[in-house]
Amino acid sequence: MSIRVFIAEDQRMVRGALALLLDLEEDIEVVGQAGDGQEALNVIRQLQPDIALLDIEMPVLSGLEVAEKIATTVPTCRCVILTTFARPGYFERAVKAGVQGYLLKDEPSERLAEALRRIMDGRREVSPELVFGTVREANPLSQREQQILRLAANGSSSSDIAQQLHLSYGTVRNYMSEALNKLGARNRLEAIALAEEKGWISS
């Protein structure tokens, strides 16, 4: 019996290449594809595939958001996150979402296919390169600093943030200053870019 695989990837060429390569495997069948997270979630709920291959960064909903929703609505579907490089915050969140695989997008097709078979056998699969990347750096930001940077990333000013979190303007500035120091950033825009790049302020 074939392993029924669904692929969610916003880059059409990458999605097509993945589908073509996996379809060459005798025991794997690609049953559907999507280009954004919301479309993926809708179709996965209908098709109920064995495995959902989810690009970590997609429009509308990220692969992590889709995995979190699938965990509660389609528990029989195993989620595998595909990424191009290690981001510690993303890996931590993927583990919390209960994903069965966290793999490099450019894995050789035979390694990817073998990983999918092992996942179907109940194992978890993580690319070694991604593990080493996550060990290298832990998130230095406190929960409050992450929260404030997230709000700033969404366009909120320090005054807006103070109002939303029921803090004084000075307290927000202190948290922001501390976050900048920890990240070695010169300003809030640089801090946001650094924290987002490492997945440290993913919602």
Side-chain angles (χ1 to χ4, degrees):
M1 200 167 163
S2 295
I3 301 169
R4 299 171 67 251
V5 176
F6 183 88
I7 300 172
E9 159 67 58
D10 63 328
Q11 295 182 49
R12 185 175 296 177
M13 286 183 66
V14 175
R15 187 170 74 242
L18 270 171
L20 189 63
L21 289 168
L22 288 175
D23 264 334
L24 292 173
E25 301 291 329
E26 289 185 3
D27 59 342
I28 295 175
E29 178 190 3
V30 176
V31 295
Q33 301 177 35
D36 70 65
Q38 186 61 59
E39 181 191 1
L41 183 60
N42 295 341
V43 180
I44 287 167
R45 284 172 172 164
Q46 290 171 5
L47 295 178
Q48 304 214 354
D50 298 314
I51 295 176
L53 286 180
L54 307 170
D55 181 23
I56 201 163
E57 292 182 343
M58 292 186 288
V60 191
L61 293 174
S62 71
L64 288 170
E65 289 170 322
V66 174
E68 288 164 350
K69 293 176 186 297
I70 287 174
T72 56
T73 60
V74 194
T76 55
C77 178
R78 300 155 179 84
C79 289
V80 176
I81 294 292
L82 294 176
T83 185
T84 50
F85 45 85
R87 289 185 175 178
Y90 283 178
F91 181 71
E92 292 161 12
R93 189 171 165 196
V95 170
K96 286 178 186 172
V99 304
Q100 279 76 27
Y102 195 78
L103 305 171
L104 279 170
K105 196 180 289 186
D106 57 359
E107 290 271 15
S109 59
E110 61 272 13
R111 277 181 61 184
L112 177 58
E114 193 51 46
L116 298 185
R117 293 182 186 106
R118 286 195 290 265
I119 286 166
M120 282 302 293
D121 286 338
R123 304 183 203 175
R124 288 183 187 274
E125 289 290 314
V126 180
S127 295
E129 300 90 334
L130 294 174
V131 175
F132 294 134
T134 61
V135 169
R136 199 164 52 242
E137 291 180 273
N139 192 340
L141 301 170
S142 70
Q143 290 294 324
R144 182 64 89 182
E145 288 159 2
Q146 291 175 49
Q147 187 180 30
I148 285 171
L149 276 180
R150 267 197 298 272
L151 290 170
N154 290 332
S156 297
S157 66
S158 293
S159 298
D160 295 334
I161 295 169
Q163 191 170 13
Q164 289 177 64
L165 300 182
H166 308 292
L167 299 171
S168 72
Y169 177 80
T171 299
V172 171
R173 282 188 59 187
N174 289 340
Y175 276 121
M176 183 63 75
S177 177
E178 187 61 28
L180 264 62
N181 287 336
K182 287 179 178 179
L183 296 171
R186 289 167 293 186
N187 54 53
R188 72 160 59 190
L189 289 177
E190 191 173 305
I192 290 165
L194 284 165
E196 285 184 334
E197 181 186 337
K198 295 182 182 294
W200 286 340
I201 56 170
S202 53
S203 56

